[in-house]
Amino acid sequence: MSNVSLRQYFGYFKDKRLINIFVFGLASGFPWVLASSVMSAWLKDENLSRSTIGLFGIVFACYTVNFLWSPLVDRIKLPVLYGWLGQRRSWIFITQIIILCATLVMSQLEIKEQLWLVAACCFAITLAGATQDIAIDAFRIDTLSEQENHKTTAAATMATSGWWSGYALLGALPFYFADYISWPSVYLILAGVMVALMVGVLWADEPKTNREQIQLEHEQAYLARLQNNNNFAKLAAWLMVTLVDPIKAFFIRNGVKTALALLAFIFFFKVGEAFLGRMSIVFYKEIGFSNSQIATYSKLGTGLITIVFAFLGSLFNTRYGIVKGLFISGIAMAASNLMFSIIAIQGPKEWLYGIAIVVDGFTQAWSLVAMVAFISMLCDRAFSATHYALLASLGNLSRTLLSSYSGVVIDDWLDGDWALFFAVTALMVIPSLVVLWLIRKRLYQLEASYKQAK
């Protein structure tokens, strides 16, 4: 149990750097509003099939493979912007410009006549959003020094609260507006929100690290082995440090067996939650809830509850450990999905919807804070963007590619039985908890060594 007092813990959140992390969390969650929840509602209102809506989510594959270009975010300096904003902020800013432009284009489209162009804009948003996440996650990890590891869970809380504020609280706005104006007009308003979020880049300070010095030392070591200093040798050394060293460092640090088990756990942990999340808006609308009710409960309600429980989950993880927090959140995820089975059986009862949202908010908060802190703990600071993107991408793989077939599962496999669908998703967390139990002793050792760095 940590000796961090409540006063010390809550004192962490006065740090301006953690406020920066919260603001960037807003920007990180917002692309999911643009290309996921709002898009699903728009497609549903245009009477497109559930299978089409589910498959439309395949554009979020960008989040599952962003590790492929994460080394470039770690190493490439953007012209002009680098000198003005620095490495992390310059990448965040350019991706936000792309998201803004795609959102403005969607505000001028008719979805049935230009579905391919809508899909292209969603792809642009998710590609830019996935790249933005690489830079934002690296910004968060780089912001805290190794002597401040005890603040990692607090930083994860701010990132989680920010993400849910961007996804749920800001995401509630379009559903309120949609009862009075067209969806293209809603996207025009969302473009204005995106402009406001871009101000956060200018307000934040670029984190100071010795990352570039360490990477340069790695390059010089390769050049010494090659016993050459020509352009080809320099390119080979740069590629080795950029593409090979991050992977090698992860397996050396954890050992091959533990590293593979960690990857399996991260992949399986949120499969059930992802299936639920992808079809939740469709379920709410089919069972009889209005856009305003969805905005109030699933967006505002979930967002506010998640933020509250994020701080409680963070406090638990700080005092009792991240690994124990992961066990609790896994069990809570299964319980949350079963609550939606009850709604499917009982019908659109508002009080039952409210209870489900409270349970779901607890689950979202606890699991996200624990997972963000857990992945951050596994990252080598010399390759923070690459490591976090690689590990987070595995979690997003189940959240996007697999959950894209959620509509097919409910339509073709379960004949539209929502109660059975949510019951099945509740069981999907079991494999990850089994893996977590098998490697728990190694994780306790890793967690202890991580805390000793403070």
Side-chain angles (χ1 to χ4, degrees):
M1 180 171 173
S2 173
N3 58 0
V4 176
S5 68
L6 288 176
R7 179 176 293 181
Q8 286 176 310
Y9 172 74
F10 286 107
Y12 296 161
F13 299 102
K14 298 178 181 178
D15 191 333
K16 179 195 171 184
R17 298 172 301 168
L18 296 188
I19 298 174
N20 292 337
I21 290 171
F22 175 83
V23 173
F24 284 148
L26 285 170
S28 181
F30 195 60
W32 290 83
V33 175
L34 299 171
S36 182
S37 59
V38 175
M39 180 54 57
S40 293
W42 189 5
L43 292 168
K44 180 62 181 178
D45 285 351
E46 294 292 338
N47 296 317
L48 287 154
S49 70
R50 287 177 293 195
S51 296
T52 299
I53 295 171
L55 291 172
F56 209 85
I58 204 167
V59 296
F60 280 90
C62 296
Y63 284 88
T64 72
V65 297
N66 65 352
F67 69 91
L68 294 175
W69 61 90
S70 60
L72 303 180
V73 179
D74 245 344
R75 304 296 310 277
I76 292 179
K77 299 175 176 61
L78 297 176
V80 181
L81 288 177
Y82 175 80
W84 176 35
L85 297 172
Q87 180 78 357
R88 300 310 187 198
R89 291 191 301 156
S90 61
W91 275 98
I92 295 171
F93 194 67
I94 194 66
T95 56
Q96 291 180 346
I97 290 174
I98 296 170
I99 293 170
L100 173 62
C101 292
T103 305
L104 286 171
V105 171
M106 283 206 290
S107 71
Q108 306 301 313
L109 300 179
E110 293 292 336
I111 196 166
K112 282 189 174 180
E113 289 76 13
Q114 299 169 297
L115 187 60
W116 67 271
L117 189 52
V118 172
C121 288
C122 286
F123 176 74
I125 289 172
T126 55
L127 179 61
T131 306
Q132 178 188 233
D133 276 9
I134 297 171
I136 286 176
D137 291 328
F139 177 94
R140 184 188 69 256
I141 295 169
D142 291 351
T143 291
L144 300 177
S145 67
E146 291 187 359
Q147 288 70 42
E148 296 176 301
N149 283 340
H150 53 292
K151 292 185 178 181
T152 297
T153 303
T157 300
M158 296 302 275
T160 300
S161 300
W163 193 95
W164 269 97
S165 296
Y167 175 70
L169 301 189
L170 294 180
L173 296 177
F175 286 91
Y176 284 121
F177 293 137
D179 284 338
Y180 307 100
I181 61 177
S182 67
W183 285 112
S185 297
V186 168
Y187 272 94
L188 188 60
I189 295 174
L190 295 179
V193 175
M194 191 66 230
V195 172
L197 291 174
M198 294 172 70
V199 176
V201 177
L202 306 179
W203 186 68
D205 298 320
E206 181 73 5
K208 297 178 181 179
T209 71
N210 62 347
R211 180 186 66 256
E212 293 184 11
Q213 178 61 35
I214 294 174
Q215 292 172 350
L216 179 61
E217 291 173 359
H218 281 229
E219 284 187 30
Q220 291 173 342
Y222 278 114
L223 289 173
R225 293 177 199 171
L226 293 171
Q227 297 182 341
N228 205 324
N229 202 33
N230 58 30
N231 289 335
F232 178 80
K234 290 180 179 179
L235 176 61
W238 187 89
L239 289 174
M240 289 295 292
V241 174
T242 301
L243 303 177
V244 177
D245 279 8
I247 308 299
K248 185 169 67 174
F250 178 75
F251 280 92
I252 290 175
R253 182 181 183 185
N254 298 293
V256 175
K257 290 183 178 179
T258 301
L260 291 175
L262 287 169
L263 297 178
F265 167 74
I266 293 170
F267 176 80
F268 286 114
F269 189 58
K270 284 183 171 273
V271 172
E273 183 183 80
F275 268 73
L276 182 150
R278 186 62 201 162
M279 298 307 295
S280 61
I281 296 297
V282 178
F283 169 68
Y284 298 145
K285 293 178 77 70
E286 283 194 6
I287 204 168
F289 292 114
S290 68
N291 284 328
S292 295
Q293 286 176 311
I294 293 172
T296 299
Y297 288 95
S298 290
K299 296 302 181 181
L300 284 178
T302 299
L304 291 172
I305 292 167
T306 299
I307 291 170
V308 171
F309 281 121
F311 284 92
L312 294 177
S314 173
L315 178 60
F316 179 92
N317 291 332
T318 299
R319 294 175 67 85
Y320 297 100
I322 297 170
V323 179
K324 292 178 181 177
L326 288 170
F327 275 114
I328 291 175
S329 62
I331 295 169
M333 274 193 288
S336 174
N337 288 23
L338 290 176
M339 283 296 303
F340 287 93
S341 288
I342 296 174
I343 293 178
I345 295 170
Q346 296 294 322
K349 295 181 179 179
E350 199 163 353
W351 65 270
L352 192 56
Y353 191 9
I355 294 174
I357 291 303
V358 171
V359 176
D360 190 50
F362 166 80
T363 299
Q364 295 281 4
W366 207 283
S367 63
L368 279 171
V369 168
M371 183 58 79
V372 170
F374 179 67
I375 294 178
S376 299
M377 180 179 70
L378 299 177
C379 293
D380 188 320
R381 292 175 184 271
F383 310 103
S384 54
T386 306
H387 274 183
Y388 196 93
L390 173 63
L391 298 173
S393 291
L394 279 174
N396 286 325
L397 182 61
S398 59
R399 188 175 180 176
T400 53
L401 291 182
L402 297 182
S403 66
S404 294
Y405 291 94
S406 54
V408 176
V409 171
I410 183 66
D411 278 345
D412 299 341
W413 295 7
L414 303 178
D415 294 324
D417 189 335
W418 285 108
L420 182 58
F421 173 77
F422 292 124
V424 170
T425 63
L427 299 175
M428 291 180 178
V429 73
I430 293 176
S432 65
L433 294 182
V434 171
V435 173
L436 186 63
W437 176 261
L438 292 175
I439 61 173
R440 67 192 186 285
K441 293 182 180 179
R442 174 69 183 102
L443 292 180
Y444 287 139
Q445 294 172 353
L446 180 62
E447 190 173 24
S449 64
Y450 183 75
K451 289 180 178 179
Q452 288 171 2
K454 72 178 181 178

